[in-house]
Amino acid sequence: MAKRFPDPDLPEHVDIRTLENARVVPDEVIDSYGLNNAVISAIDTGSYNIHFKIESEGKRFDLRKSNRPSQIGNHDYESEILNHLRSQGFTLAPEVVPSVSGDFNLWVDDTGWTLFKWMGSDSGPQRELANRSRALAAAKTLADIHRMCKDFHPAAQRAKWPIFTVPTVNPATWLKRAESLADELKEEGEDLRRMSRQSAGELEQIDFDKLPEYMCHADYRMRNLQFEGDEITGVFDFDTSIRTTRLFDLAGAVTRFSPLGGDPLADVEAGSTFLEKYHEQLPLSSYEIDALPALIRWRLLREVVVYY
């Protein structure tokens, strides 16, 4: 497994997927969920987290072992969002299964564990391409999520999470990470340094008070959507969701649904199709439209810096 460039704010963070026994479920977790007689198998989802398929008494579940540098508050924050979406009639997001004692998340061995009802495909990770129909469906679904969570504020608090800090709020944090990577790359990193400084300068010019906050998914892309044909049947990975400008989601979607920031074989116009459909469903203000290009440029650079 390729080693990622370390976050300068979290130099001691370790990718748990590289550790011995990373794919073993502790007895405390098994007992807490009443899974003593269950069949448990690690599965490949393509996720940064580790997932296990649980088969118990004719039912299937997805047990997630978090690989994020997080705290229990982050997982409670996510669970509140998922429960809120369910209360609004949104059934495409995972449904959290509480432990025997009623907890929506467990914290065992400095790691967060969450159990979900099974929504996955038996064929393994999907690698669907973004085409026009899927881009339209994805845009409508994201607009639904934003609309349902517009005024929702989880009681749980997000802990500081430097890898997923929203640079739109603090360009200095974003630039620190970008320049650390540029230093690591030496001469090959000079273009990254120049573009990142330009991006940070653009972000500083944006008046974020004029950008209304929404509950953003923060990792909205094809690999986190499940399709049957061109119809969405699941939206996954809400564990980085956070309240911020919805341009955080839109800038990411525009790039990730296009060949530029997603699969090279994706429909060339999928990104613009996504944005047009979203704007039709939940219109952007004139100031949001003006600010979006700078966020798109930043989001492309962010993909390089965060996922290098």
Side-chain angles (χ1 to χ4, degrees), residues 18-35:
T18 66
L19 300 179
E20 186 178 358
N21 297 325
R23 288 165 176 79
V24 175
V25 181
D27 290 341
E28 183 178 346
V29 174
I30 293 174
D31 292 341
S32 295
Y33 283 116
L35 301 175

Side-chain angles (χ1 to χ4, degrees), residues 70-88:
S70 59
Q71 299 175 11
I72 191 64
N74 285 327
H75 301 288
D76 290 340
Y77 190 97
E78 175 198 23
S79 294
E80 288 188 52
I81 296 169
L82 295 176
N83 291 337
H84 173 76
L85 285 169
R86 284 274 163 181
S87 74
Q88 299 299 302

Side-chain angles (χ1 to χ4, degrees), residues 9 11 21 29 39 71 96 109 115 122-123 157 161 184-185 193 205 209 220 237 246 252 254 262 267 277 282:
D9 293 313
N21 297 325
V29 174
V39 177
Q71 299 175 11
V96 183
D109 296 336
L115 187 67
D122 288 327
S123 60
Q157 296 296 311
W161 208 344
E184 181 79 7
L185 296 175
R193 187 189 312 278
Q205 300 304 310
D209 290 337
Y220 199 76
D237 281 7
R246 57 179 166 167
V254 168
D267 187 325
K277 183 63 176 180
L282 196 60

Side-chain angles (χ1 to χ4, degrees), residues 281-298:
Q281 296 288 313
L282 196 60
L284 301 173
S285 69
S286 59
Y287 191 78
E288 286 176 307
I289 292 173
D290 290 342
L292 182 57
L295 270 294
I296 293 174
R297 287 189 287 272
W298 158 73

Side-chain angles (χ1 to χ4, degrees), residues 5 176-187 189-190 192-193 197:
F5 173 69
K176 175 183 176 182
R177 181 174 171 84
E179 293 202 313
S180 294
L181 177 56
D183 291 341
E184 181 79 7
L185 296 175
K186 298 182 172 56
E187 290 184 8
E190 289 310 305
L192 173 63
R193 187 189 312 278
R197 288 177 176 176

Side-chain angles (χ1 to χ4, degrees), residues 3 30 40 79 105 127 132 145 169 172 199 277 287 299:
K3 182 179 180 181
I30 293 174
I40 302 175
S79 294
N105 301 281
R127 295 291 184 266
R132 176 176 175 79
I145 292 171
V169 176
S199 175
K277 183 63 176 180
Y287 191 78
R299 192 68 195 249

